[in-house]
C-alpha cells in the first residue's frame, strides 16, 4: 500500500460514482488482544459484501484522512485512513494504520464480492 494521495483518491472515487459496488468495512482497536486488560473498552465493526451505489464521494483532511460516500439514502464514511491501493482485481483498498503500524480500519470497494 502507498500513502494516500488525496487527488488520486478523489479521481478514483469520482470514476466509480453510480456503480453498484460491494463494500468491506472493518475497524478494530485491539479487540482480539484486549482480554488481558479487563479495564479496556473494546469496540469494532465488521461489514462485508454489502452492496452500495454512491452518488458522490469526497476525501477530506490532511492525514489521516476521512472518506465519505453519499448514498441514495444516507452516507457511509470512514476516518483515520492513511494508505491505499488498487489491487490486481481492481478492488479499491483503503487502510488506516496507527503510529505503530497496526491496522485500525479497512474500507474497501469492489465491483465483485470479496472472498468469504
Amino acid at each position: 500500500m502507498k500513502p494516500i494521495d488525496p487527488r488520486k483518491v478523489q479521481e478514483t472515487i469520482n470514476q466509480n460514482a453510480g456503480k453498484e459496488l460491494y463494500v468491506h468495512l472493518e475497524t478494530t482497536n485491539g479487540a482480539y488482544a484486549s482480554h488481558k486488560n479487563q479495564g479496556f473498552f473494546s469496540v469494532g465493526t465488521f461489514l462485508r459484501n454489502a452492496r452500495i451505489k454512491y452518488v458522490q464521494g469526497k476525501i477530506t483532511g490532511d492525514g489521516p484522512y476521512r472518506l465519505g460516500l453519499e448514498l441514495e439514502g444516507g452516507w457511509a464514511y470512514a476516518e483515520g485512513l492513511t494508505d491505499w491501493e488498487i489491487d490486481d482485481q481492481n478492488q479499491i483498498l483503503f487502510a488506516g494504520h496507527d503510529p505503530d503500524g497496526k491496522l485500525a480500519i479497512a474500507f474497501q470497494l469492489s465491483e465483485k464480492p470479496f472472498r468469504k
Side-chain angles (χ1 to χ4, degrees):
M1 299 193 98
K2 297 177 188 171
I4 286 177
D5 177 334
R7 269 186 288 140
K8 289 183 181 177
V9 168
Q10 189 63 59
E11 288 173 11
T12 300
I13 294 303
N14 292 348
Q15 291 168 356
N16 286 279
K19 293 181 181 177
E20 188 164 296
L21 301 171
Y22 291 88
V23 64
H24 172 82
L25 174 61
E26 183 173 359
T27 64
T28 181
N29 63 359
Y32 303 112
S34 64
H35 62 278
K36 294 181 182 180
N37 180 352
Q38 297 298 318
F40 183 77
F41 182 70
S42 179
V43 298
T45 300
F46 185 87
L47 174 71
R48 189 163 184 86
N49 288 328
R51 291 187 303 193
I52 65 168
K53 186 189 300 187
Y54 61 89
V55 178
Q56 67 173 331
K58 183 155 179 112
I59 186 160
T60 61
D62 297 321
Y65 297 91
R66 176 177 172 170
L67 176 64
L69 303 177
E70 181 184 3
L71 310 174
E72 293 175 359
W75 284 84
Y77 76 89
E79 58 183 286
L81 301 171
T82 57
D83 304 285
W84 84 303
E85 71 179 14
I86 299 174
D87 71 8
D88 58 357
Q89 296 178 27
N90 208 33
Q91 295 174 330
I92 307 164
L93 312 174
F94 297 97
H97 297 96
D98 71 11
D100 295 326
K102 295 177 185 169
L103 182 66
I105 185 167
F107 189 61
Q108 305 170 345
L109 300 167
S110 176
E111 291 186 31
K112 297 178 183 174
F114 293 95
R115 291 185 312 236
K116 293 185 179 184

